Amino acid sequence: MVNLNNEILRFLSEHLNTVSKPARYIGGEYNTVVKEVKKDILRVALAFPDVYEVGMSHYGLEILYWLANELDFVYAERTFLPWTDMIEKMEKYNIPLFTLETKTPIYEMDVLGISLEYELSYTNVLKLLELSRIPIRCYDRRDNDPIVVGGGPVAFNCEPIAEAFDAVYLGDGEVNFKNFLRVVKETKGFDRESRLKELAKIEGVYVPIFYSYTGRKVVPKYDFVPAKVRRNILKDLDSVKHFERKIVPHVESVHDRVVVEISRGCTRGCRFCHAGYVYRPVRERSFDKVVEIAKKLIENTGYDEVSLLSLSALDHSQINELVDEFLPYIKEKKISLSIPSTRVDAFNIQLAEKISTIRKTGLTFAPEAGSQRMRDAINKQISYDEILRTAQEAKKAGWRRIKLYFMVGFPNETEEDIREIGELVKAIKKVGFMDITASINLLIPKPHTAFQFAKLQPPEYMDMVKKILNPYKKFGKLDINDGKKSFVEGILSRGDRLLFPVIEKAYKIGYYDEWGEYFSYEKWSKLFQEIDISRYTGPYGLEDFPWDHLDSGVDKNFLWSEYQKYFSGETTIDCRARCTLCRVCIDYKVSNTLKRR
């Protein structure tokens, strides 16, 4: 509606100067896609249910934006959840949520795609739907309402929020997202149920209204949908074209730099790692393609920093060739190169020295556990000696800052295991590091991991952790989480549809739960009293889960076996060396795609 577009523009011109960071809402950024809005074009809104600068840092949203806009029959635009001051203004002046590109109300779009990256954004999702004037439950939507589709890592147990979605897309967007949009386009004019039936035929698309519960198990209501929804797996990153332009945000984003994905998936098999399981197998992008993509993105954006994205970047089989090929260019252009997600045992000081010649930054490592017993049990196969040796070499090479990540709350964890975290910090202090930060968080036993069977510890567990580690604060900054956010996230991550009414009440009280200033444990704790949360805390045996129908590809019996190995302290080999029979490659006819010469 032209009139409403004008109303939105008038609202922005009159009120933007009264909210924080008004540039979040104006659009028109450099490299934004501009298309003619024709009557027969499919209008798609891609939403990240968080503030602009967080959403603009999300690599998956970028992929979908460029994928969709490659299609001549699609115009994909962006929207984000406004900050609270802007929401107050929009509600006061009766302005619906709109796209950044054309200022079109979201409810006028054909598709609303919402990224599901973390469970604490569930309240944001419902607020986003409310602001968009779209019924929050899929059952209540009319034929002309947008098709609401979710996707992302949390989609592998979307049951607590499933009723908010008409469809959920599992796995890699490059495989079937274009096909999804084609079906939406071809079924325009059909009634909503018929459209959803057609979407349910697409590999990796889950349509929640066609399923119900038998106990905790989710089963099909009809024979035209599969009992298990298989995820989409891109077999080779080199087989798809990478985008060459990146939208340069008006407001500094969380990751305000060029980002290039060098590999997807991980073979290490850390038993707590959700991404490590649901993104299997590992698929590398060849080093020459990475360099080519990075150069084009730098030239098309003007950024002076490049980050190589991967779950374990230094495991890339061509990482040395990649850096050697890229180094002359970044030296000439005075560009810094960062390699996050660094494993202690994979850290190569010579390589680190090469990439730090432009700008030396701090080092970040994740030992995950303090004691060797616990590192073996969680399959984090690094030794105390390796950690210290890496720290010593890094100190010699000139690094001054180091950050360490740890988790606590594992089954059968002892006070001595926790104390060893402090001892490790103390040992690294002796190496000579003056600036040490150790982040200690409560384990969230995620679905589709070996710890999906484990007990979720209550927040009070962290009081014991603080008491044990308090004497070690003189050796470094110990950032010990209070466990409250992790506990709520743990409940939501292993939840089912009985949690939807709780989430609905929660968002009406307040949202932005991922943000410390808006997170309220008291809110969630009170709402959790309305249900039996023991069904979500565990521990569990080999039983039905409300996410079993959403197939990550990793066999449930394999995960149970890995959980048993945790108690015996037995490690599992990296599957680059030998197949561990998790069944992803066998059942999906895929394999680790390594780019060794």
Side-chain angles (χ1 to χ4, degrees):
M1 292 181 190
V2 175
N3 290 342
L4 191 45
N5 283 58
N6 288 340
E7 283 295 313
I8 291 168
L9 289 169
R10 185 181 298 112
F11 165 80
L12 291 173
S13 68
E14 292 175 357
H15 298 286
L16 270 183
N17 63 341
T18 66
V19 298
S20 58
K21 298 185 181 180
R24 290 167 168 161
Y25 312 109
I26 60 177
E29 304 97 322
Y30 186 64
N31 286 332
T32 300
V33 172
V34 178
K35 289 188 176 184
E36 184 182 351
V37 181
K38 300 176 182 176
K39 188 176 181 180
D40 62 342
I41 202 165
L42 190 76
R43 304 291 302 281
V44 177
L46 295 174
F48 195 92
D50 210 318
V51 73
Y52 173 89
E53 51 266 43
V54 174
M56 285 298 293
S57 298
H58 184 241
Y59 193 76
L61 193 72
E62 278 192 286
I63 289 175
L64 296 180
Y65 182 81
W66 296 106
L67 266 178
N69 279 315
E70 277 183 359
L71 300 171
D72 58 7
F73 63 86
V74 173
Y75 187 11
E77 306 177 48
R78 296 161 298 136
T79 193
F80 305 96
L81 186 66
W83 192 238
T84 53
D85 57 352
M86 183 62 162
I87 288 175
E88 287 175 12
K89 294 283 182 187
M90 291 170 69
E91 290 178 334
K92 180 179 178 180
Y93 292 97
N94 199 28
I95 298 296
L97 189 62
F98 51 87
T99 64
L100 289 184
E101 278 76 0
T102 62
K103 309 300 181 290
T104 301
I106 301 301
Y107 66 78
E108 290 187 6
M109 305 297 277
D110 297 301
V111 177
L112 171 60
I114 304 177
S115 296
L116 296 173
E117 294 300 309
Y118 32 85
E119 289 85 356
L120 286 173
S121 71
Y122 284 167
T123 50
N124 288 10
V125 169
L126 298 191
K127 187 63 183 179
L128 189 144
L129 288 169
E130 179 196 292
L131 279 176
S132 301
R133 299 181 185 171
I134 298 171
I136 66 168
R137 280 182 170 79
C138 59
Y139 317 107
D140 299 329
R141 291 179 194 139
R142 300 154 299 181
D143 288 346
N144 60 342
D145 283 320
I147 299 291
V148 180
V149 56
V154 172
F156 286 96
N157 181 27
C158 56
E159 284 305 299
I161 196 82
E163 291 178 65
F165 290 94
D166 298 303
V168 177
Y169 183 101
L170 290 187
D172 298 328
E174 297 94 337
V175 180
N176 258 326
F177 187 59
K178 288 182 180 179
N179 190 27
F180 181 94
L181 296 178
R182 279 195 185 90
V183 172
V184 175
K185 167 78 169 169
E186 289 166 1
T187 58
K188 280 187 78 168
F190 291 23
D191 65 85
R192 198 170 194 85
E193 185 175 345
S194 297
R195 301 183 81 187
L196 295 180
K197 281 183 181 179
E198 291 303 311
L199 290 172
K201 294 176 183 178
I202 301 170
E203 182 90 349
V205 174
Y206 169 52
V207 180
I209 65 166
F210 296 147
Y211 293 78
S212 61
Y213 279 74
T214 299
R216 294 197 79 203
K217 187 175 183 179
V218 178
V219 296
K221 289 181 186 176
Y222 311 103
D223 58 9
F224 57 79
V225 290
K228 269 201 171 190
V229 181
R230 290 162 57 91
R231 72 180 248 237
N232 288 294
I233 301 180
L234 178 65
K235 294 184 179 181
D236 187 352
L237 288 185
D238 281 346
S239 68
V240 293
K241 181 185 175 185
H242 192 281
F243 53 88
E244 296 178 357
R245 308 186 83 81
K246 172 184 169 68
I247 298 173
V248 181
H250 289 316
V251 177
E252 184 178 354
S253 61
V254 176
H255 302 299
D256 207 25
R257 60 185 76 100
V258 163
V259 178
V260 183
E261 184 182 32
I262 66 170
S263 65
R264 193 174 299 178
C266 182
T267 57
R268 292 285 183 167
C270 298
R271 290 175 178 140
F272 56 83
C273 184
H274 183 258
Y277 284 114
V278 303
Y279 288 120
R280 290 185 177 200
V282 69
R283 290 143 290 160
E284 295 180 346
R285 181 170 271 126
S286 55
F287 82 92
D288 51 342
K289 282 220 163 79
V290 171
V291 173
E292 178 188 342
I293 292 162
K295 286 180 178 179
K296 285 179 179 173
L297 286 170
I298 290 165
E299 290 161 9
N300 289 330
T301 61
Y303 277 113
D304 63 356
E305 184 178 352
V306 177
S307 180
L308 303 181
L309 178 64
S310 170
L311 291 175
S312 187
L314 291 185
D315 282 339
H316 193 292
S317 58
Q318 293 181 322
I319 190 66
N320 286 296
E321 293 97 320
L322 195 164
V323 171
D324 288 343
E325 177 80 10
F326 203 24
L327 207 56
Y329 178 84
I330 65 174
K331 283 183 176 179
E332 178 194 345
K333 301 285 186 181
K334 293 185 169 51
I335 291 163
S336 66
L337 178 66
S338 63
I339 302 182
S341 307
T342 307
R343 285 182 58 92
V344 177
D345 59 332
F347 188 73
N348 182 308
I349 291 297
Q350 289 181 331
L351 183 66
E353 284 192 272
K354 284 181 186 178
I355 66 173
S356 66
T357 52
I358 306 300
R359 193 184 304 162
K360 244 187 180 78
T361 56
L363 295 174
T364 301
F365 296 124
E368 307 295 3
S371 70
Q372 193 60 50
R373 179 184 88 89
M374 290 303 298
R375 284 194 294 274
D376 289 343
I378 64 178
N379 211 43
K380 190 82 178 182
Q381 297 181 46
I382 48 175
S383 69
Y384 177 84
D385 289 342
E386 284 176 310
I387 296 169
L388 276 197
R389 186 164 56 249
T390 300
Q392 288 162 355
E393 292 298 319
K395 181 67 175 61
K396 284 179 191 175
W399 269 270
R400 293 181 176 84
R401 291 185 291 117
I402 191 166
K403 185 165 187 178
L404 305 165
Y405 284 96
F406 297 94
M407 281 186 288
V408 293
F410 294 105
N412 294 354
E413 185 176 57
T414 67
E415 291 189 12
E416 185 57 33
D417 291 323
I418 296 168
R419 191 172 291 109
E420 287 294 324
I421 293 173
E423 290 295 328
L424 188 53
V425 172
K426 179 180 176 182
I428 291 174
K429 177 74 170 179
K430 285 183 179 178
V431 168
F433 278 97
M434 301 307 294
D435 188 348
I436 304 171
T437 302
S439 178
I440 300 111
N441 295 285
L442 185 66
L443 169 72
I444 303 171
K446 293 278 188 175
H448 302 285
T449 73
F451 285 114
Q452 67 179 357
F453 309 99
K455 179 184 177 182
L456 170 64
Q457 296 289 358
E460 293 75 27
Y461 190 89
M462 299 305 289
D463 296 335
M464 176 191 69
V465 173
K466 287 177 184 176
K467 187 176 179 182
I468 294 169
L469 293 180
N470 194 54
Y472 295 94
K473 287 185 176 178
K474 57 189 173 184
F475 302 113
K477 181 188 175 186
L478 301 189
D479 181 11
I480 305 172
N481 192 284
D482 65 9
K484 291 177 179 177
K485 265 193 193 179
S486 298
F487 182 76
V488 173
E489 186 178 335
I491 296 294
L492 295 176
S493 74
R494 297 200 292 189
D496 52 28
R497 294 191 196 180
L498 292 178
L499 280 176
F500 191 88
V502 172
I503 298 166
E504 185 178 11
K505 290 176 184 176
Y507 105 87
K508 289 178 178 176
I509 297 169
Y511 40 94
Y512 274 120
D513 288 290
E514 182 70 12
W515 293 73
E517 63 263 49
Y518 289 106
F519 175 77
S520 168
Y521 182 66
E522 291 70 28
K523 172 186 80 174
W524 286 103
S525 184
K526 186 177 180 181
L527 289 171
F528 284 157
Q529 291 173 16
E530 299 178 8
I531 56 172
D532 177 15
I533 65 165
S534 65
R535 64 191 280 129
Y536 311 120
T537 55
Y540 305 111
L542 195 57
E543 59 197 68
D544 289 334
F545 290 138
W547 55 85
D548 285 343
H549 62 300
L550 302 171
D551 187 23
S552 72
V554 178
D555 183 67
K556 189 175 182 179
N557 289 309
F558 171 80
L559 293 175
W560 177 254
S561 171
E562 287 293 294
Y563 187 53
Q564 301 312 305
K565 283 184 178 181
Y566 166 83
F567 292 103
S568 66
E570 183 184 349
T571 59
T572 297
I573 196 169
D574 185 325
C575 74
R576 287 176 186 238
R578 186 177 69 246
C579 179
T580 56
L581 297 176
C582 77
R583 294 204 64 87
V584 170
C585 294
I586 297 168
D587 292 346
Y588 279 75
K589 294 180 173 52
V590 294
S591 62
N592 291 327
T593 306
L594 310 180
K595 300 296 181 177
R596 293 191 187 98
R597 279 182 163 178

